[in-house]
Amino acid sequence: MPTTVLLVDDHNVVLKGLRFFLETKADLHVVGMANDGKEAYALAMDVRPDVIVMDVIMPGQNGIVTTEQLKKDLPDTKIIMLTSSAEKEHVIPAIRAGADGYQLKDIDPDYLYETIVHVASGEREHALHPQVASQLMTHVATDDGPMHLLFSRQEKRKPFAK
Amino acid sequence: MKKFPTHSYDYLLHVQREISETLNESTDIYETLQSCLEKLLKMMNLSTGWIFLLYNHDDYELASYHQLPPALNKNDQAIMKQQEGCSDCYCLNRYREGRLAQAVQSIRCARLSDALSLDKHADTNGLTHHASVPLTVRGSKVGLLNLATPGMRDFEKEELLLLESIAFQIGATVERIRLYHKQSDLLITKERTRLARDLHDSVKQKLFALSLTSKGIEALSKDLPAITDAAKDVGTLSQEALQEMQSLIWQLRPEHGEDPLADTLEKHALRLGLRPFIQCRTLPLTETVNESLTKIGQEAIYNVFKHAETDQLSIVLDTVDEGVVFEISDPGVGGAFPHPSRLGMKSMQERAEQIGADFTVTSRTEQGQKLRFA
């Protein structure tokens, strides 16, 4: 049984490209496409896909709110955010809303395929774009940040050592 | 030019007209002031003149000058530009302190005295005094127009009126040109924001779709190697275009937020997949300094990404002993010193010079690298 996938994006050109590419993979099956959050919710409740690939910024209801609702009503469906924004204002709320993955729209399509397959089987591997991962790391790190990785505080303050 | 007696109505009107025309011609402040100064000197039959523009605090600029005596002109007009010791400049001081009450006042030139005290044979063309004409707009001090000629004569009553009216006009022109540039900066920012949004909303989405489609074709063309190869090329090209677009959008976007410098640099580093530690104190820097530090920071981050073979770096902006220190360090391979003439290093050097900062590099092979701007 191939993994069923629902695609959500307000750009039709992206939806079309995604479907074309993912349909070449024998283990995936695109079961539906939606242009905004409300449509995505109704469709997902109907087709109950294994995975949803969801844009974040969409007119009407955005991807984060929709993810939160769907995670409540379809707890078994995995949701991967696919967006062009790696801003912390989007990354952190999306993860909090229950997103299982977060990829950016400059990703190599093969890598996106890997992400879908891994997330569908419940693995965390490949779930986050490296940029998103480092964004999360920076903001989860303590007040001092990952400074200890570099130099001690003492050393940092020293004037130029010859 | 026709010769009029200096008090004649025709003469005054003629000068007034010429100056108005000159001031009306351009939006380049230096060009405008320079040709206005030259015309004024010629028409008033004076040998020498210069214009100081005043900025906040004690900052001033020699905006234009004509036929300075060798004593003032040597070493690129060093004595006219020096910030240290300018507290001794009588005309600027009296103007700043509001003690230049009259519209035109004859003042002994402290810079000429300085030049003579440094070298008693300095050639001053016989100048000792100059007339100072304050330039103001809405009561605020914009600059000072200084006029001189050997054996400085007293101005006639009509000439004083003329200079006063010209001073008002120059003041208004300086204001006009400053507002003009401010307005065009605003328009540029607006346009850049629009461009970034358009690129993001349409072009980037299409490139992503293109890269997906080419991968799809690649998968479907297994038995047709020529098509597979072509699809691969399309895929690679669209990926590259996407990356370039991403960085273009990023460069175009004006940064907002409480701490634009730290925010901008952090995003830049994250975008390159680096793990930055950024600690920037919010300091009251001027826009120019802020922009230069941003550009320097971006360049430095890119260098770490490209050459340092590490994904860690630290950027610190802080105050040390009343000065500002901007420091970029990484624990990578170091070794930039063999190539200090590389373009990136050079442009950082130049930007540092523009804002009057000292730039030092500490770099040892295998021991990381530190750039410091103070």
Side-chain angles (χ1 to χ4, degrees), chain B residues 21-308:
Chain B
E21 187 184 11
T22 313
L23 290 175
N24 215 330
E25 258 164 11
S26 155
T27 52
D28 180 317
I29 196 151
Y30 302 107
E31 197 183 290
T32 306
L33 292 179
Q34 185 66 34
S35 56
C36 167
L37 178 66
E38 284 174 21
K39 281 199 178 148
L40 186 64
L41 291 173
K42 194 172 165 203
M43 288 186 293
M44 293 192 73
N45 203 18
L46 300 167
S47 71
T48 299
W50 63 94
I51 296 175
F52 288 130
L53 288 181
L54 299 186
Y55 298 100
N56 293 337
H57 311 299
D58 283 345
D59 217 9
Y60 73 95
E61 179 190 19
L62 176 66
S64 68
Y65 54 89
H66 187 61
Q67 286 178 5
L68 291 177
L72 296 182
N73 202 37
K74 70 172 187 188
N75 299 337
D76 280 337
Q77 303 82 42
I79 209 164
M80 303 298 286
K81 293 172 183 169
Q82 61 177 346
Q83 293 290 334
E84 287 162 36
C86 83
S87 55
D88 301 329
C89 176
Y90 305 135
C91 61
L92 282 177
N93 262 356
R94 287 169 74 165
Y95 182 41
R96 282 204 188 97
E97 290 163 12
R99 290 192 291 123
L100 213 61
Q102 283 161 276
V104 182
Q105 199 160 331
S106 173
I107 293 177
R108 192 165 67 84
C109 182
R111 291 171 204 266
L112 281 169
S113 312
D114 274 3
L116 280 173
S117 71
L118 287 171
D119 168 13
K120 62 182 177 182
H121 301 296
D123 186 358
T124 61
N125 281 357
L127 300 181
T128 53
H129 288 62
H130 59 70
S132 278
V133 190
L135 310 172
T136 40
V137 163
R138 287 177 282 110
S140 71
K141 303 175 171 69
V142 172
L144 208 50
L145 165 67
N146 285 343
L147 304 166
T149 210
M152 194 72 180
R153 61 189 167 84
D154 285 337
F155 289 117
E156 312 247 353
K157 199 174 84 215
E158 290 83 357
E159 283 180 308
L160 292 176
L161 270 174
L162 176 71
L163 282 175
E164 226 179 309
S165 103
I166 286 171
F168 282 129
Q169 268 182 291
I170 298 178
T173 303
V174 170
E175 171 98 331
R176 168 182 67 83
I177 293 177
R178 281 185 184 159
L179 288 176
Y180 171 86
H181 289 293
K182 211 169 161 187
Q183 170 71 5
S184 28
D185 284 354
L186 275 176
L187 284 176
I188 290 170
T189 309
K190 222 170 131 189
E191 184 61 12
R192 287 167 73 113
T193 311
R194 190 190 65 79
L195 256 169
R197 203 182 46 232
D198 285 0
L199 286 176
H200 181 272
D201 288 352
S202 64
V203 186
K204 211 184 138 192
Q205 312 288 340
K206 285 180 184 160
L207 281 172
F208 183 53
L210 186 62
S211 116
L212 289 163
T213 309
S214 68
K215 274 285 176 193
I217 297 175
E218 198 185 317
L220 293 176
S221 66
K222 283 274 180 282
D223 306 327
L224 299 160
I227 295 181
T228 309
D229 286 351
K232 267 188 186 150
D233 285 350
V234 175
T236 313
L237 286 174
S238 49
Q239 278 291 321
E240 285 171 10
L242 254 178
Q243 303 288 349
E244 281 162 30
M245 182 70 63
Q246 188 68 29
S247 113
L248 262 179
I249 291 173
W250 185 80
Q251 284 169 25
L252 279 170
R253 196 168 40 187
E255 295 299 330
H256 303 290
E258 280 178 10
D259 199 351
L261 179 65
D263 251 32
T264 310
L265 295 180
E266 178 174 14
K267 279 182 189 155
H268 187 60
L270 287 174
R271 201 165 289 290
L272 293 169
L274 298 172
R275 291 190 288 159
F277 171 71
I278 294 178
Q279 194 176 52
C280 289
R281 195 184 280 237
T282 308
L283 298 170
L285 302 172
T286 65
E287 262 176 56
T288 328
V289 171
N290 222 330
E291 193 173 306
S292 299
L293 289 183
T294 308
K295 291 271 160 59
I296 289 171
Q298 289 174 0
E299 183 74 49
I301 291 169
Y302 188 70
N303 283 349
V304 171
F305 165 71
K306 223 171 150 187
H307 306 294

Side-chain angles (χ1 to χ4, degrees), chain A residues 105 110 144 147 156 160, chain B residues 205 215 277 279 362 372:
Chain A
K105 281 181 176 170
D110 287 332
D144 261 9
M147 194 59 187
K156 188 193 66 166
F160 260 92
Chain B
Q205 312 288 340
K215 274 285 176 193
F277 171 71
Q279 194 176 52
T362 314
R372 186 184 166 101

